[in-house]
Amino acid sequence: MLTVDFSRFPLAPGDRVLDLGRGAGRHAFERYRRGAQVVALDQNAEEIREVAKWFAAMAEAGEAPEGATATAMEGDALALPFPDESFDVVIISEVMEHIPDDKGVLAEMVRVLKPGGRIAVTVPRYGPEKVCWTLSDAYHEVEGGHIRIYKAEELLAKIREAGLKPYGTHHAHALHSPYWWLKCAFGVDNDKALPVRAYHKLLVWDIMKKPLATRVAEQALNPLIGKSFVAYATKPHLPRLSEAAAK
């Protein structure tokens, strides 16, 4: 289940890609399949080990084209272990709502992104997320849980403040919003509630089968109740010294 739309966020074979705060690694796997040189970084050592196993399995199965590489490593998003301008693409998906110093994370991403490079940021959307917070304190009041809810313009303002130029936005995963509302209403740790179990089966069926009816329904509902807000931006090229001097 991908949150980033690669038709809006082009990826070329050989691009060096940083997948930041990767968790289960779903975007990193897709970029590896597309021929990128992927680095998946997360502070959770257990999850990174699991991502590394999947990378190895994909390589063994021949799922990635020749020239593609994939590395999984543990690291701190506020002190990225990479030189300046190391990556063509940076993606941070459903991470910034967990981090107190979100401006610091943005600054680090900009530092390691090449001029002209692209960045994708996804966070829970304000409306659906607010419903979850209203229904359940346990949904967000946990160690490492969500500490803020972004409004779209607030996130875009922080992206611009970091020196990036936004070029597109959209919403995703509308079918997942009702599932989380049910989880919050019946208890976030209560997977036995019948409505929660039934809706979960629907989501699994949708992800596995990708039927046209649910694809069309989600596209129609995304602008209304899409669970995630996705923003795309570029890092501008600095003016050449001769151009700057002429101004």
Side-chain angles (χ1 to χ4, degrees):
M1 185 185 73
L2 299 175
T3 308
V4 173
D5 181 352
F6 287 105
S7 68
R8 307 177 193 228
F9 191 67
L11 183 69
D15 274 353
R16 185 163 167 77
V17 179
L18 174 61
D19 201 358
L20 187 57
R22 263 332 346 132
R26 63 187 187 276
H27 286 102
F29 301 148
E30 180 65 19
R31 287 188 294 283
Y32 186 32
R33 291 188 186 97
R34 290 171 178 256
Q37 298 176 10
V38 181
V39 177
L41 183 143
D42 196 286
Q43 66 178 0
N44 187 310
E46 183 177 346
E47 289 188 336
I48 281 297
R49 283 194 294 270
E50 191 65 25
V51 170
K53 290 178 183 178
W54 277 103
F55 279 152
M58 290 172 66
E60 185 175 348
E63 291 188 32
E66 185 177 352
T69 62
T71 303
M73 60 185 295
E74 187 178 355
D76 182 358
L78 288 165
L80 295 174
F82 310 111
D84 295 354
E85 302 179 4
S86 300
F87 294 93
D88 302 289
V89 173
V90 177
I91 297 181
I92 184 166
S93 181
E94 312 298 305
V95 173
M96 287 181 56
E97 66 275 10
H98 297 271
I99 301 176
D101 186 8
D102 57 348
K103 291 184 178 181
V105 172
L106 277 169
E108 273 293 270
M109 290 190 291
V110 171
R111 180 183 67 79
V112 302
L113 185 65
K114 296 178 182 178
R118 303 173 306 284
I119 187 168
V121 181
T122 91
V123 297
R125 184 183 186 176
Y126 183 85
E129 183 77 349
K130 189 68 173 179
V131 172
C132 290
W133 283 46
T134 300
L135 289 172
S136 171
D137 290 336
Y139 171 79
H140 63 97
E141 290 183 356
V142 295
E143 184 178 356
H146 299 183
I147 62 171
R148 69 174 65 83
I149 309 176
Y150 288 100
K151 291 185 177 180
E153 282 306 318
E154 175 194 0
L155 179 61
L156 291 172
K158 289 186 177 184
I159 289 173
R160 293 187 186 99
E161 185 181 343
L164 297 166
K165 184 178 180 180
Y167 69 84
T169 66
H170 66 91
H171 301 97
H173 309 318
L175 295 182
H176 288 250
S177 290
Y179 172 71
W180 283 103
W181 297 340
L182 288 170
K183 288 270 288 181
C184 291
F186 286 93
V188 290
D189 296 321
N190 180 13
D191 293 326
K192 296 182 179 180
L194 180 58
V196 175
R197 287 191 290 116
Y199 203 97
H200 184 263
K201 287 183 179 179
L202 171 66
L203 291 179
V204 172
W205 172 75
D206 174 60
I207 291 170
M208 298 301 294
K209 300 296 185 180
K210 297 181 175 62
L212 178 61
T214 55
R215 296 300 87 214
V216 171
E218 185 158 74
Q219 287 297 319
L221 290 170
N222 274 339
L224 302 173
I225 59 169
K227 183 73 169 66
S228 295
F229 174 71
V230 189
Y232 305 105
T234 58
K235 179 177 178 178
H237 288 276
L238 292 174
R240 297 177 182 177
L241 290 177
S242 58
E243 293 175 352
K247 292 183 178 179

